Amino acid sequence: MRADRLVSLVLLLRQRGRLTATELADELEVSTRTVLRDIEALSAAGVPVYAERGRHGGYALLPGFRTELTGLNHDEALALLIAGSRRGAQAFGLGSALASAMLKVIDALPESYRDTAADVAERLLVDPQTDLLSRRLIAEEVPYTISAEIRRAVFAGHKLRIHYAAVDRTPKWRTVDPIGLVIVRDQGYLLATRSGADRTYRLSRVLAAKELSEPAQRPGRVDLDRAWQERSTRFRTGGDRIAVLVRVNPARREELVSTALAVRAEETDTNGWLRLEVIFQDSRHAEWALWQLTTDAEALAPQSLRTSLRHRAAAIATYYGESS
């Protein structure tokens, strides 16, 4: 970790010029004492870091100093910068590593491209924290110690012991054979097997994790995308899932689809509306989703859902009826 931090310190000074020990400490998320020790280590290793005294003083590199990093062209670096703006790294506990990597990407650019790439990156925003309706999209936080332990087991091919809190159940310890990690809408999942059966665990519900030395029982190669699709299909079609036939205004289609688990069929209705067969978690989920669309959607089946929506509408109408 210290070697990475030293490289990040040098890159910060190269890209921003003079910085105080406090500013460096904030960027690197360490104490000022650690920064001072790192600067001493860099100087001892021959890196030309010098201190400037006074009100506007700080630490800087001698002009012309260049780190030896593999160069990238403008479009390659920009692609990495855009990819690095996504929040998936947070779910895998790689946020600080990503920040360090982005510094190296910028520094690897040819001199003539560096400022241009940074300016272009500022004009692109991927996955903001809120959408146009000001709904906040919150990425799940997974403690670094847990995510790091899970990553090590996945990459090393070792068994993993996790303390897992399933919904509405008492947390239990489980020993699993990890297969891979998946990010979906800023939510991280561990794909694994337990006693030979497929299992999917949400990373935010893992309370503790421990990599074991025993090799995991898993195939040498895996099609992670296919494995995820198969598990998603089983999830959508199992349990108390409910299929609903809906007529919807095309302008509200995406809103409907975003709340459903899956879309089984879709066609255009006679009046220009769309007719969809969608899958919801259960009847309560379906009622809530259709209620949000007011008169821009109509549940055609099942009849039980139509009845629930009618009763809810009648109750609201009564509540807001004219007073006597």
Side-chain angles (χ1 to χ4, degrees):
M1 288 297 292
R2 189 188 186 195
D4 290 339
R5 190 175 68 242
L6 292 176
V7 172
S8 295
L9 192 156
V10 172
L11 296 178
L12 282 168
L13 293 178
R14 270 191 47 76
Q15 293 161 23
R16 302 190 190 177
R18 186 185 307 108
L19 292 171
T20 66
T22 300
E23 291 170 334
L24 287 168
D26 290 341
E27 290 287 345
L28 300 172
E29 299 181 349
V30 296
S31 66
T32 53
R33 180 175 298 180
T34 297
V35 167
L36 295 176
R37 286 200 300 265
D38 287 348
I39 289 174
E40 290 181 2
L42 289 172
S43 297
V47 178
V49 183
Y50 68 96
E52 292 187 355
R53 308 296 180 186
R55 180 180 178 183
H56 301 292
Y59 293 93
L61 294 169
L62 287 177
F65 177 74
R66 174 75 176 170
T67 51
E68 294 297 329
L69 294 175
T70 301
L72 300 172
N73 64 39
H74 177 272
D75 288 345
E76 290 171 340
L78 181 58
L80 288 175
L81 288 169
I82 294 171
S85 68
R86 299 185 66 86
R87 297 191 299 275
Q90 300 295 336
F92 288 152
L94 293 171
S96 60
L98 177 61
S100 175
M102 289 303 101
L103 286 172
K104 296 176 184 178
V105 168
I106 294 173
D107 195 77
L109 280 172
E111 192 76 33
S112 59
Y113 291 155
R114 194 174 302 130
D115 293 338
T116 303
D119 180 67
V120 171
E122 289 178 355
R123 300 179 188 279
L124 298 171
L125 177 62
V126 181
D127 284 348
Q129 291 188 342
T130 58
D131 62 14
L132 287 175
L133 299 178
S134 296
R135 295 175 297 194
R136 187 168 180 81
L137 309 175
I138 303 176
E140 295 181 336
E141 295 291 334
V142 181
Y144 176 80
T145 53
I146 293 176
S147 59
E149 199 74 12
I150 294 174
R151 287 200 315 273
R152 282 194 292 267
V154 170
F155 298 150
H158 290 166
K159 285 185 178 293
L160 178 68
R161 188 161 172 76
I162 58 175
H163 194 212
Y164 191 73
V167 179
D168 298 328
R169 296 184 183 179
T170 302
K172 292 183 179 180
W173 283 98
R174 299 168 167 85
T175 299
V176 302
D177 297 296
I179 294 175
L181 295 166
V182 177
I183 286 287
V184 180
R185 296 179 182 176
D186 294 328
Q187 296 175 355
Y189 296 89
L190 167 68
L191 269 59
T193 61
R194 183 160 63 94
S195 300
D198 289 343
R199 293 289 184 269
T200 303
Y201 301 101
R202 196 157 167 171
L203 295 184
S204 60
R205 293 177 183 156
V206 178
L207 306 180
K210 177 65 177 176
E211 177 192 5
L212 305 179
S213 58
E214 183 181 353
Q217 300 298 313
R218 65 181 190 181
R221 299 184 63 86
V222 63
D223 185 339
L224 205 57
D225 183 62
R226 180 177 179 181
W228 176 256
Q229 292 298 331
E230 290 175 349
R231 295 183 188 208
S232 297
T233 299
R234 289 198 297 269
F235 176 80
R236 291 193 300 267
T237 57
D240 298 325
R241 311 294 184 262
I242 180 174
V244 178
L245 185 61
V246 183
R247 289 178 64 250
V248 63
N249 184 329
R252 306 294 294 276
R253 177 194 180 279
E254 293 306 316
E255 191 172 345
L256 170 66
V257 171
S258 68
T259 61
L261 295 179
V263 177
R264 279 186 177 174
E266 180 175 349
E267 61 183 8
T268 302
D269 208 355
T270 53
N271 62 354
W273 279 30
L274 300 174
R275 186 178 292 239
L276 287 77
E277 183 182 1
V278 292
I279 306 299
F280 289 104
Q281 182 79 30
D282 50 33
S283 57
R284 291 180 60 188
H285 179 201
E287 181 180 338
W288 171 86
L290 271 295
W291 184 258
Q292 312 307 308
L293 301 178
T294 63
T295 57
D296 282 328
E298 178 188 2
L300 302 177
Q303 182 59 44
S304 59
L305 177 59
R306 291 177 59 86
T307 301
S308 296
L309 288 167
R310 183 174 67 251
H311 289 168
R312 176 183 281 209
I316 293 293
T318 301
Y319 190 86
Y320 287 103
E322 294 183 2
S323 57
S324 55

